[in-house]
Amino acid sequence: MKEGAILVSFIYAERQPALVQKLLDKKITCFAMERVPRISRAQSMDALSSQSALAGYYAVQLGATHLARVLPKITTAAGAIGPAKVLVMGLGVAGLEAIATAHRLGAVVEGYDVRPDTQGQALSLGATFVDTGIDATGKGGYARELTPEENAIVADVLTKHIQQADLVITTAAIPGKASPKLISKAQVAGMKAGAVIVDLSAEGGGNCEDTVPGETTTVGLVTIVAPLNVPSLLGEDASELYAKNQYNLLALMMKNNIITIDWDDEVLASTALTHGGALKKAPVTPVANDKNDAKTANTGKHAASPPNTKAA
């Protein structure tokens, strides 16, 4: 790229220090899509949400293909089978879309998040909420780290639900950090035969202690599916949504068909990673409108929402 050019892309600066240095050396004005602020005006540019919605939908399909049973209740002349029990852990955009999809397919669905405010969203999509009694809501809608005492309480409550589930979908991720561990080896060992875990946070190391990122493994009689870059598995829709996100961001930079960057614009200022050889300040993520999350999962449209510890 020529010096002073503009780049609009996912960057994840914390993981790519060498790339960031090249951007600085070339004085590239870089707009990192993961930094789009989660405010109402920027919803149409929020690529994290649009891609997470696809991942949440596809996680249910991945789980269903690895289960040796059906998701809905089916009644035949030989008798009734099903429904399967699905537990979704982490109720950001991906988790809520997973709940909505599993519910539409006829499963009995439970949802869990360390932020109690997500309970209403889970209920609105047809799931019951697993309440551990712990509130770990942190700044900007993210979840804070649990204390050892809180972890023990949460694990004690969740173990029963994990081990009763036929399909567990985990979505908890923390931008720039390792994914939090939600399922221990001991909990996996106690799961029912034929159960499946779909770990959507494999790129950060996974939410399950037995996860092998990028691979599908079997631990005892439990299958753990840990795909990477899940939206790419739905390439047509993922590309269309991402293109629309970028188009809407670019529209903010254009005035009479000429690139004119208004650095007083909150969206552009927050999304910018580098400019003129200097790093821009990281954005502050506001607490988002919870109602938007439920609407997002219900309709398939992306909206501003707090990531579950992000929701991948």
Side-chain angles (χ1 to χ4, degrees):
M1 295 181 68
K2 65 180 182 180
E3 186 170 309
I6 295 174
L7 172 66
V8 179
S9 176
F10 278 112
I11 298 296
Y12 296 107
E14 300 87 352
R15 307 176 194 169
Q16 303 289 343
L19 172 59
V20 173
Q21 189 56 53
K22 289 182 179 179
L23 295 173
L24 294 172
D25 294 342
K26 298 282 286 186
K27 296 184 179 179
I28 302 295
T29 296
C30 175
F31 292 91
M33 292 300 290
E34 70 274 9
R35 288 166 60 106
V36 171
R38 292 191 158 183
I39 58 177
S40 296
R41 193 166 69 86
Q43 288 181 22
S44 64
M45 311 160 209
D46 188 356
L48 281 177
S49 289
S50 67
Q51 303 303 298
S52 292
L54 293 176
Y57 160 81
Y58 201 59
V60 180
Q61 314 305 318
L62 283 174
T65 60
H66 286 86
L67 277 174
R69 61 176 304 170
V70 298
L71 289 181
K73 180 179 180 179
I74 296 178
T75 302
T76 73
I81 54 175
K85 294 182 179 180
V86 176
L87 171 63
V88 179
M89 304 177 71
L91 303 183
V93 173
L96 292 172
E97 186 61 52
I99 284 179
T101 302
H103 179 67
R104 286 195 295 265
L105 292 176
V108 174
V109 189
E110 293 183 316
Y112 162 73
D113 197 289
V114 293
R115 301 163 300 165
D117 285 349
T118 59
Q119 179 174 358
Q121 301 167 55
L123 295 177
S124 72
L125 295 171
T128 57
F129 185 76
V130 180
D131 188 356
T132 62
I134 299 297
D135 184 351
T137 303
K139 294 181 179 179
Y142 288 75
R144 62 170 174 78
E145 187 175 356
L146 297 178
T147 66
E149 294 77 14
E150 289 174 330
N151 267 319
I153 294 172
V154 168
D156 185 56
V157 174
L158 286 178
T159 295
K160 177 181 69 174
H161 296 273
I162 291 171
Q163 295 179 350
Q164 288 178 345
D166 298 293
L167 171 60
V168 179
I169 297 172
T170 65
T171 72
I174 304 174
K177 298 182 180 181
S179 301
K181 299 303 180 186
L182 305 182
I183 304 176
S184 67
K185 290 178 178 291
Q187 288 170 324
V188 172
M191 293 179 72
K192 62 172 64 175
V196 174
I197 297 172
V198 177
D199 193 335
L200 286 184
S201 294
E203 293 186 41
N207 295 142
C208 176
E209 290 182 349
D210 285 317
T211 289
V212 179
E215 298 185 19
T216 297
T217 56
T218 301
V219 178
L221 298 175
V222 177
T223 300
I224 302 176
V225 185
L228 301 175
N229 193 15
V230 176
S232 69
L233 301 176
L234 295 168
E236 181 178 340
D237 285 337
S239 296
E240 180 178 346
L241 290 176
Y242 186 46
K244 289 179 179 178
N245 294 144
Q246 288 195 320
Y247 173 84
N248 290 322
L249 182 64
L250 288 170
L252 290 182
M253 306 180 197
M254 305 299 293
K255 186 174 182 180
N256 297 324
N257 292 324
I258 298 175
I259 296 177
T260 306
I261 300 175
D262 179 6
W263 292 111
D264 291 326
D265 185 292
E266 180 182 6
V267 177
L268 295 179
S270 295
T271 306
L273 174 66
T274 62
H275 175 66
L279 279 173
K280 304 290 284 185
K281 292 182 179 180
V284 177
T285 304
V287 177
N289 186 342
D290 287 339
K291 292 180 181 178
N292 283 338
D293 265 344
K295 182 179 179 182
T296 297
N298 225 359
T299 64
K301 296 179 181 178
H302 57 287
S305 63
N308 77 255
T309 47
K310 179 186 110 181

